[in-house]
Amino acid sequence: MPTALTTKARLLRVLDGEVLAEPPIWLMRQAGRYLPEYRELRAKAGSFLDLCYNPELATEVTLQPIRRFGFDAAILFSDILVIPHALGRDVRFVEGEGPRLDPIERAEIFGLSNEGMLDRLAPVLETVGAVRKALDPDKALIGFCGAPWTVATYMIAGRGTPDQAPSRLLAARDPEALDRLIDALVDASIVYLVAQLKAGADAVQIFDSWSRVLSPAAFERWSAGPIARIVAGVRAVVPDARVIGFPKGADRGLSDFVEKTQVNGVGVDWTVPLDVVRREIAGRAAIQGNLDPMTLVAGGAELDAAIDGILAAMDGSRLIFNLGHGIVPQTPIAHVERLIRRVRG
Ligand code: CP3
């Protein structure tokens, strides 16, 4: 029997406090449209949500980038909007446009309930179990959910918007309603993440893709605070739960965010000076990021230089190599291969 030390996935070692000379690497949205094998399977699956709720196909899609590139971690193939869907909201993905929801009304916010939520999410949890079973022990499986603020912005506006004006307006006009919506999403996220960890996820990531549109006070109230409650709520049930927070664009508030939420890792985008963040975080959390996805699309000498810059800025510190946001569909596969070769020396 191999010992725990030799089989513990490299990503988990860094989340648990180790510094590795060669950092673990995975990419946000690593299962997706830039892969021909994804496009082929996606065409057979029907709608995007049908794919998310089909354990056999979702397992296959989750494993595709691991087979092709040998990343250090798989991330569950699903979407942050399965939570509103499981809470009974209408969620559709329109081809070429993105998600559409029925904008939630005040009375509906106060009527939200978790009842039956996990039944609707059962196929996703089945996928978690199947992926963990199929994955080598030296690879980690990351589960995830959207942060309450980011999920709320889609529930309120009914779609993506450039600056989340409808949700910021609700925050200013009717903070009580937004508090209630966020609270409902905190409760749902705790239940969902605990279920993922019990089903076999080794760590979970909380995506707050829209935290950068919030003022410092609003960030505290609707992003960092709720994420801290999720982490505490999850650890009340799974004490050693590993959590990565990704408060995208929250650069000025990162150190406080780590202190308040007690995450094991924090994702940062490419607008953040890594040397400054590294000093501020001072080893209290692993830092995950932060290559610009467009640099990966472009490739060439610029890509090499950007990779080297990240490695140099984080030398001797807890780095999980990643992009600063999701990989985009036009990314050439050869550039991903080049990235992995360079990070692995
Ligand atoms: O990282 C992974 O590979 C795991 C799977 C994953 C998806 N979405 C698959 C997906 C994860 C972790 C997400 C998170 C997600 N979903 C976020 C947070 C991270 C981020 O990117 O900011 C958000 C805001 C969403 C909501 C969402 N889902 C949008 C806005 C869209 C449309 C945009 C797009 O790229 O088309 C989706 C659809 C979606 N989610 C796709 C994938 C692979 C593309 C749908 C398709 O294949 O047709």
Side-chain angles (χ1 to χ4, degrees), residues 26-33 38 42 48 51-52 75-81 93 95 97-99 144 146 150 154 160 207-210 246 248 325-326 329:
W26 69 282
L27 303 182
M28 289 188 276
R29 290 274 181 104
Q30 64 191 16
R33 285 165 297 186
Y38 172 83
R42 171 80 174 78
F48 174 68
L51 177 53
C52 293
I75 180 160
L76 166 69
F77 187 82
S78 178
D79 197 83
I80 65 168
L81 297 179
F93 285 84
E95 224 47 63
E97 290 192 37
F144 71 92
T150 287
Y154 288 95
F207 287 86
D208 213 351
S209 308
W210 287 101
F246 180 40
K248 185 169 183 293
H325 202 185

Side-chain angles (χ1 to χ4, degrees), residues 249-295:
D251 34 326
R252 287 169 308 282
L254 270 179
S255 179
D256 288 349
F257 176 87
V258 166
E259 199 56 46
K260 178 156 194 161
T261 61
Q262 294 291 305
V263 287
N264 308 80
V266 68
V268 293
D269 72 25
W270 57 93
T271 64
V272 170
L274 265 190
D275 52 340
V276 176
V277 171
R278 173 194 174 159
R279 268 199 307 280
E280 282 180 7
I281 305 284
R284 287 174 295 146
I287 295 173
Q288 175 173 283
N290 72 341
L291 186 72
D292 182 345
M294 293 307 135
T295 306

Side-chain angles (χ1 to χ4, degrees), residues 7 9 63 66 72 131-141 202:
T7 55
L63 295 170
I66 309 303
D72 290 290
V131 173
R132 189 53 278 180
K133 221 172 133 199
L135 208 56
D136 287 342
D138 64 335
K139 311 281 185 203
L141 172 58
D202 302 298

